[in-house]
Amino acid sequence: MKNTKTVLIDKNPGRNSQTFGIARELGTDLDLIHEPSIGVIGNKGDSQCYLGVSKKVNVIHEVLKKRIGKEPNQLAMRLIQPEFSLATSDGIRNGTKEMRYSLIGREVTNDSVCEHLSATGVEGIIAVVACDKPPVGTLAAILEHNRPAIIMSDGSIRPGKDSVTGEPLDIISSYQIAGSKDEDLKKRIALESCPGIGSCGGMFTYNTMQTFIGVIGMQPLHMVSPASEDSRRLDDFPNELVNYLSNLIKKEITPRDIVTRESLRNAIIVAMSVGGSTNVMLHAPELSRAAGYSNFNRDIMSASEFNYLSESVVPVVVNARPFGKYSMVDIDKMGGIQVIVKNLLDAGLLNGDTLTCTGETLSQQVNRLSPSNPDGNVIYSVKKPFKKTGGLRLLGGNLSPEFSAILKLAGVEGGLENGIFKGKAKVFDGEQSLLNTLDNQPENFSNFDMVVVRYEGPVGGPGMPEMLDSTSRITALCREKNIVIGLMTDGRFSGGSVGLVIGHVGPEAAIGGPIALIKDGDTITVDLNENTLVCDELTNFETVNQRKDEWVNECNKNKGIHPAVGIANTRLLNKMRCSAVPAIFGAGMHPNQSVWVYEERVPETSKFKPVNKFRE
């Protein structure tokens, strides 16, 4: 029998009334109100990172509107008004209790974008993204929705300039003089560090993740590196984006066709090569989950393979802040990240057969862009790298049995003798306690201290705040006194952090992880030959059991929660506390995540093995 089911949306005047109204206000054809929806979204927030987004969204929307219609070569779709997600700025909140909302902002963006895409039934979307966490939340929602989509970075801020020395400045310059007693200097540097608009300009988390998003295929490579105020973002890129999206819709290419095991592996390798932020190892598992791979270590790249690649295969090929000299604007002047990607492809380190949002494979896109060779000053080659080993390292050992602890090796400025650091623990329950001591008693810190900051994980914070204020002050103190101080935490770091800093130590203190059992004066060893983080005292089972009993007793006196755990005094903080998964899974709000992962994929074993032609 023929299906005679009534399509109510075509018949109900109540629903039609608003769709007619929107079409009239937007100036689009009333006959298209029941066609699939298409539109533009953007990230918004309270810092200059986001100030350029609205203008770009509006320009893209106008270009899209001209392409909507019933004429040949037009998109016969229903245009919807632009929508914006909301998040905070990491830079403004580092060192404050509000920093707990930073990583939560990724989750809030995911939720809001998901609601918009799914409730609107969007069949084609262009997203303009800014700052650190919203781009990842946006892409995660896009992957879950899995309809044709493309992303464009809003772009970086251009560096400031020191009016006295003439040296370039950025937000890290301001953080690293926070401990100075010269108030005039601090004000001048703060005033001069961040002129104009755009997201942080070094190879911090924003540009690490924009590069990542480009390499996995969801953003055209040439749109990553130009500054926010670059005219191409308004004059050229909007038309290109609409062309690419139109092709994705026509060919039914969805985000999960693009973001695969192979493209995620490519992006991790490139993140190593640019000395990227440690946050990539929170965001990569979250994006792999959204793409259908619930366990990053099992499905995409194990910790042992990650370390093998970083130690022996993938070098750092950019001289970029915070560990180097230059910004993303300088990388753009030297040809953009496509120069880096081409060099890695030529060295046999990437799989060039992965699909991208331009409709081309990664190799085809790079060949069309025809980037220049590395200049050897800003961008280096694999054959003659800026640093011989990759920028990131994962650590195991008795303090990190989950192998989640991560060190940004590219940012280490000293303290590793033959790959080993051995120091004495100086324990702080919460970052505020550390900041108070750095402010008021900096003389309490000694050479080869290992500062331990705990109860700042996804559950403990709650929200896993990053610690750019703390790491910057410690870096300044080390340079001033010519000493080495390490820092390890179950929290996380800004992409702008440098020094011997180890984040994501798990299991976290709030749930009784080994980091909760460390005491002042314990011996902490970081061994990069074995990739381990070890507390010598916790190798003794009797000591472990005794300290664990003491910890449990403290919790029992406080209704089952350790008294050092941060206060969850809003619904959002409480939601994070109750639903956060460990850092090894991305530290997102995903209880029982393996149960509900949308269309989980089981990847085949990769036939592609990265080969370094120059360093075999």
Side-chain angles (χ1 to χ4, degrees):
M1 179 184 287
K2 185 178 179 180
N3 187 351
T4 57
K5 183 179 178 181
T6 303
V7 182
L8 293 177
I9 196 166
D10 287 337
K11 305 293 184 181
N12 193 308
R15 281 190 283 267
N16 288 356
S17 61
Q18 284 200 324
T19 47
F20 278 135
I22 291 169
R24 279 195 301 270
E25 293 301 315
L26 295 181
T28 54
D29 196 315
L30 300 184
D31 291 338
L32 298 176
I33 66 166
H34 295 304
E35 296 301 320
S37 299
I38 191 170
V40 189
I41 57 175
N43 301 148
K44 293 291 287 291
D46 63 345
S47 76
Q48 65 209 94
C49 309
Y50 304 97
L51 290 177
V53 172
S54 295
K55 183 180 288 187
K56 297 175 183 70
V57 166
N58 290 336
V59 170
I60 295 168
H61 178 78
E62 289 303 312
V63 171
L64 197 54
K65 186 164 75 171
K66 293 176 183 177
R67 297 283 292 275
I68 297 294
K70 293 182 289 187
E71 298 298 320
N73 298 320
Q74 285 188 308
L75 291 162
M77 302 182 77
R78 175 193 171 218
L79 182 65
I80 55 176
Q81 64 267 45
E83 292 286 354
F84 295 90
S85 62
L86 183 65
T88 57
S89 166
D90 296 356
I92 293 173
R93 286 172 181 82
N94 258 284
T96 73
K97 289 185 178 297
E98 287 73 33
M99 190 64 209
R100 296 178 298 170
Y101 287 95
S102 169
L103 186 59
I104 292 174
R106 182 189 72 184
E107 309 300 294
V108 171
T109 299
N110 189 328
D111 287 350
S112 62
V113 173
C114 174
E115 192 273 345
H116 172 62
L117 298 180
S118 299
T120 311
V122 174
E123 286 293 309
I125 201 75
I126 299 171
V128 182
V129 296
C131 204
D132 283 12
K133 311 308 176 294
V136 183
T138 299
L139 179 51
I142 283 171
L143 283 163
E144 291 168 355
H145 187 63
N146 202 34
R147 301 307 302 150
I150 190 168
I151 287 175
M152 181 183 77
S153 162
D154 174 70
S156 299
I157 191 171
R158 292 188 170 114
K161 184 176 182 181
D162 190 316
S163 58
V164 174
T165 67
E167 291 294 312
L169 297 171
D170 58 26
I171 192 170
I172 306 305
S173 310
S174 298
Y175 270 102
Q176 289 185 348
I177 62 165
S180 170
K181 303 302 180 185
D182 187 338
E183 296 300 325
D184 290 337
L185 172 67
K186 288 195 287 189
K187 182 176 181 180
R188 179 174 65 79
I189 297 299
L191 283 167
E192 295 174 353
S193 290
C194 296
I197 61 172
S199 299
C200 291
M203 194 53 73
F204 313 147
T205 305
Y206 173 71
N207 280 316
T208 299
M209 293 315 300
Q210 290 312 307
T211 302
F212 191 100
I213 291 169
V215 174
I216 59 172
M218 288 301 296
Q219 174 170 204
L221 292 173
H222 67 290
M223 296 186 186
V224 173
S225 57
S228 177
E229 296 180 280
D230 191 298
S231 60
R232 287 172 287 179
R233 294 203 176 277
L234 294 174
D235 297 339
D236 301 332
F237 295 169
N239 277 297
E240 293 176 30
L241 288 166
V242 174
N243 286 340
Y244 291 138
L245 181 63
S246 178
N247 181 62
L248 293 172
I249 293 169
K250 180 180 178 181
K251 294 185 177 180
E252 273 287 306
I253 298 173
T254 66
R256 287 187 171 210
D257 296 325
I258 294 169
V259 181
T260 63
R261 178 177 187 266
E262 295 301 329
S263 66
L264 284 160
R265 288 168 61 84
N266 280 346
I268 286 291
I269 289 170
V270 175
M272 292 178 188
S273 77
V274 297
S277 166
T278 53
N279 284 308
V280 73
M281 290 311 290
L282 294 177
H283 298 326
E286 167 62 9
L287 292 175
S288 69
R289 177 211 56 84
Y293 306 104
S294 65
N295 188 317
F296 183 86
N297 268 321
R298 180 194 67 203
D299 299 337
I300 308 300
M301 184 179 289
S302 68
S304 58
E305 184 182 11
F306 182 98
N307 284 336
Y308 167 71
L309 291 170
S310 187
E311 288 176 61
S312 306
V313 179
V314 183
V316 174
V317 296
V318 291
N319 177 9
R321 294 274 284 161
F323 53 85
K325 183 177 180 182
Y326 297 104
S327 70
M328 186 59 98
V329 173
D330 299 304
I331 291 173
D332 186 59
K333 289 177 183 175
M334 294 300 113
I337 67 157
Q338 54 266 39
V339 174
I340 299 168
V341 175
K342 181 180 187 300
N343 189 247
L344 292 168
L345 281 166
D346 290 345
L349 295 178
L350 302 178
N351 184 343
D353 295 332
T354 56
L355 184 62
T356 73
C357 61
T358 65
E360 305 157 301
T361 65
L362 183 64
S363 289
Q364 288 169 340
Q365 186 184 166
V366 168
N367 289 338
R368 174 176 55 79
L369 293 172
S370 189
S372 58
N373 293 321
D375 65 287
N377 182 37
V378 178
I379 303 173
Y380 287 66
S381 69
V382 172
K383 190 174 183 180
K384 294 181 179 179
F386 182 63
K387 293 181 182 247
K388 291 183 179 180
T389 58
L392 299 168
R393 194 74 61 85
L394 294 173
L395 306 177
N398 68 4
L399 290 176
S400 180
E402 293 181 341
F403 241 102
S404 60
I406 186 165
L407 168 69
K408 185 172 181 174
L409 191 56
V412 174
E413 297 185 346
L416 290 168
E417 186 69 30
N418 297 319
I420 296 174
F421 169 93
K422 188 179 288 286
K424 295 297 182 182
K426 189 177 287 292
V427 180
F428 296 89
D429 288 345
E431 187 191 18
Q432 291 302 312
S433 176
L434 170 60
L435 287 171
N436 289 338
T437 305
L438 285 167
D439 259 346
N440 302 311
Q441 297 171 303
E443 68 279 0
N444 283 5
F445 296 90
S446 304
N447 198 22
F448 287 94
D449 278 345
M450 173 57 85
V451 172
V452 179
V453 183
R454 60 194 182 191
Y455 300 104
E456 295 288 15
V459 172
M464 204 180 188
E466 69 183 33
M467 301 182 188
L468 179 58
D469 199 349
S470 296
T471 59
S472 298
R473 288 171 189 259
I474 288 174
T475 296
L477 187 64
C478 289
R479 290 172 180 173
E480 177 188 337
K481 293 187 172 185
N482 194 28
I483 61 175
V484 174
I485 299 172
L487 190 157
M488 56 174 281
T489 179
D490 51 9
R492 62 188 180 86
F493 298 117
S494 163
S497 292
V498 293
L500 184 64
V501 294
I502 300 165
H504 312 181
V505 177
E508 61 175 293
I511 61 173
I515 190 174
L517 308 182
I518 300 172
K519 292 192 174 183
D520 281 329
D522 283 355
T523 299
I524 308 295
T525 302
V526 181
D527 187 341
L528 296 189
N529 303 303
E530 300 293 330
N531 293 319
T532 55
L533 177 64
V534 171
C535 176
D536 288 0
E537 285 71 15
L538 297 184
T539 58
N540 183 293
F541 289 114
E542 289 183 6
T543 301
V544 171
N545 289 334
Q546 178 187 341
R547 293 186 183 183
K548 187 73 172 181
D549 288 343
E550 293 171 359
W551 184 86
V552 170
N553 287 335
E554 286 293 307
C555 293
N556 289 339
K557 293 177 193 175
N558 194 52
K559 300 179 180 179
I561 299 175
H562 195 278
V565 166
I567 297 172
N569 56 354
T570 65
R571 188 173 75 164
L572 196 51
L573 291 175
N574 187 62
K575 182 180 178 183
M576 184 68 172
R577 168 150 297 156
C578 295
S579 62
V581 296
I584 196 73
F585 293 116
M589 295 179 182
H590 306 300
N592 302 318
Q593 77 173 79
S594 62
V595 175
W596 72 271
V597 168
Y598 169 61
E599 292 180 6
E600 182 168 6
R601 295 192 270 184
V602 179
E604 295 180 3
T605 302
S606 173
K607 295 180 180 179
F608 175 80
K609 299 292 182 185
V611 176
N612 188 322
K613 296 178 181 178
F614 301 110
R615 304 178 69 223
E616 291 179 312

